[in-house]
Amino acid sequence: MRKKRIALLGSTGSIGTQALSVIRRHPERFEATVLTAGSNADLLIAQAIEFGPDAVVIADESRYAQVKDALSDRPIKVYAGAEALCQVVESQQVDMVLAAMVGFAGLKPTLCALRAGKAVALANKETLVVAGELVTACAMEHHVPLLPVDSEHSAIFQCLQGEVGNPVEKLLLTASGGPFRKFTAAQLADVTPAQALCHPQWSMGAKITIDSASMLNKGFEMIEARWLFGLPVERIEVVVHPESIVHSAVAFADGAVKAQLGVPDMCLPIQYAFAYPQRLADGAAPLDLFALGALHFERPNEHLFPCLTLAREASQRGGNAPCVLNAAGEVTNQAFRDGRIRFVDMPDLMARTMAKVPFEATPSLDTYFATDAEARAVCESMIG
Ligand code: NDP
Ligand code: MG
């Protein structure tokens, strides 16, 4: 069997490093042929030395010389800059692309991969939030699979295996509730970035960890599910489940509910996307139901976490509305981490940005880029 040759966009991040650990565990099946980073040259160099890819890209051009010098005695092509990300995914040396960059920056390389006919394992949910219609249409047009890596969407995808044509009533999207699940409005007003960066169940990159604490991440996941599985957001129900054992579920028309359970470990959904439709050994640690004893479920509190409402409204509005929400989400997330705004200011600024940026009902790719830039500028100017 020929090895699957994988390009990892964002190999130095939380998903990227876990994806490399999956490849390390299954060297007979997978090979990392492209590795890319934003600016972490040291880790990219170490990864390139270990995995011997065909090419690496460092998006930050000021780090090019460092990477080039460090790999000069190896047969590894070294590129820099955002444009190179698009070129490397089109390479003949690539069968599948793991989209694991963070934010809007991942949209263009993901589209390039789909247009080049590469299967995409998608972690970078922002690409579907911003341009879900365009991205899913592109995958269809080029007859390439878009395989979910986000744990909830992987769970739903796993539940839907063998159910082609069977009517789905709704999707049950589970959420841990984050570190502030039991907080009051008064307590939420004073939370610090350090508190928000302490997720109770998952260890992830900084941006998604903050989005999880505000539940914007779950709002984004509703939109992501809407595009991946073709159900409107009204039929996607968020269920707070603090143990993060049930990764999501599908309710069918006959009353049956299928769920996927497992310990919280991203290596399983990453490996499932890489090996699909096969299941391989060594995914995640075994699940011990006796040690767990009980699982809990509750409704989300949308008064306390209005990002859920904002995301649902943006999805219902359609057009460029989710793109505006995403841009404002990225700006406010960074501003909160930098100590420039409070946690509770984030949804307020997102709502005000959404009210200010003109609506476009049928955006093109260029419209998304223009909307993203405008929404960032509007949101930044409100932060001051
Ligand atoms: P990280 O911040 O840990 O990693 C992001 C990766 O993208 C890094 O390799 C980073 O490089 C690179 N990168 C960032 N900005 C750019 C840029 N402008 N150009 C090129 N490369 C860039 O994020 P995560 O791994 O946590 O998340 C990645 C994606 O997966 C996100 O969309 C997130 O929502 C999604 N996801 C993550 C989960 C998780 O468990 N972490 C779970 C489900 C989804 P560098 O290291 O040099 O900065
Ligand atoms: Mg998720």
Side-chain angles (χ1 to χ4, degrees), residues 56-305:
V56 300
V57 180
I58 184 92
D60 178 349
E61 295 180 35
S62 70
R63 310 285 169 104
Y64 173 74
Q66 182 193 347
V67 180
K68 179 82 187 153
D69 288 351
L71 302 177
S72 60
D73 57 348
R74 293 164 201 270
I76 301 174
K77 302 180 197 89
V78 180
Y79 304 104
E83 284 307 313
L85 293 170
C86 284
Q87 286 154 23
V88 287
V89 296
E90 292 165 2
S91 156
Q92 302 243 327
Q93 307 294 323
V94 171
D95 302 310
M96 174 181 263
V97 174
L98 172 71
M101 285 164 58
V102 62
F104 184 86
L107 173 61
K108 210 167 167 193
T110 303
L111 281 172
C112 292
L114 293 171
R115 285 182 188 141
K118 312 296 182 184
V120 168
L122 187 79
N124 181 211
K125 66 191 80 186
E126 293 91 342
T127 61
L128 285 181
V129 171
V130 169
E133 190 162 12
L134 207 136
V135 171
T136 50
C138 186
M140 297 259 269
E141 185 190 336
H142 293 90
H143 308 286
V144 282
L146 196 54
L147 298 152
V149 167
D150 210 349
S151 58
E152 296 77 2
H153 306 73
S154 174
I156 292 166
F157 183 61
Q158 293 177 53
C159 294
L160 289 171
Q161 297 305 308
E163 301 286 358
V164 177
N166 286 338
V168 169
E169 202 59 37
K170 60 181 175 181
L171 305 178
L172 301 167
L173 195 67
T174 52
S176 72
F180 308 136
R181 181 172 59 94
K182 293 207 171 290
F183 276 42
T184 62
Q187 287 173 307
L188 214 52
D190 296 325
V191 298
T192 62
Q195 282 175 290
L197 284 167
C198 258
H199 195 278
Q201 300 294 358
W202 300 93
S203 160
M204 309 178 286
K207 195 244 177 196
I208 184 176
T209 306
I210 300 292
D211 286 350
S212 298
S214 69
M215 296 202 74
L216 179 63
N217 180 55
K218 209 49 59 179
F220 281 174
E221 289 183 354
M222 284 196 275
I223 303 176
E224 183 184 13
R226 181 236 177 287
W227 292 116
L228 285 171
F229 307 114
L231 257 77
V233 283
E234 299 80 51
R235 284 166 60 198
I236 302 171
E237 184 163 40
V238 174
V239 180
V240 174
H241 165 49
E243 293 89 359
S244 297
I245 296 295
V246 176
H247 294 307
S248 279
V250 178
F252 292 91
D254 62 357
V257 175
K258 276 170 83 175
Q260 185 253 324
L261 282 71
V263 298
D265 181 344
M266 286 308 295
C267 286
L268 176 61
I270 293 168
Q271 175 172 303
Y272 189 75
F274 282 1
Y276 177 79
Q278 283 181 287
R279 288 188 184 275
L280 309 180
D282 285 336
L287 175 63
D288 184 348
L289 287 174
F290 300 110
L292 278 165
L295 299 174
H296 298 86
F297 304 95
E298 44 190 77
R299 285 185 197 282
N301 181 343
E302 294 201 19
H303 293 294
L304 218 50
F305 299 105

Side-chain angles (χ1 to χ4, degrees), residues 324 328 348-357 375-376 378-379 382:
V324 177
D348 187 45
L349 284 158
M350 287 175 221
R352 284 164 56 206
T353 306
M354 287 179 73
K356 238 177 159 174
V357 176
R376 280 170 199 271
V378 165
C379 192
M382 286 192 292

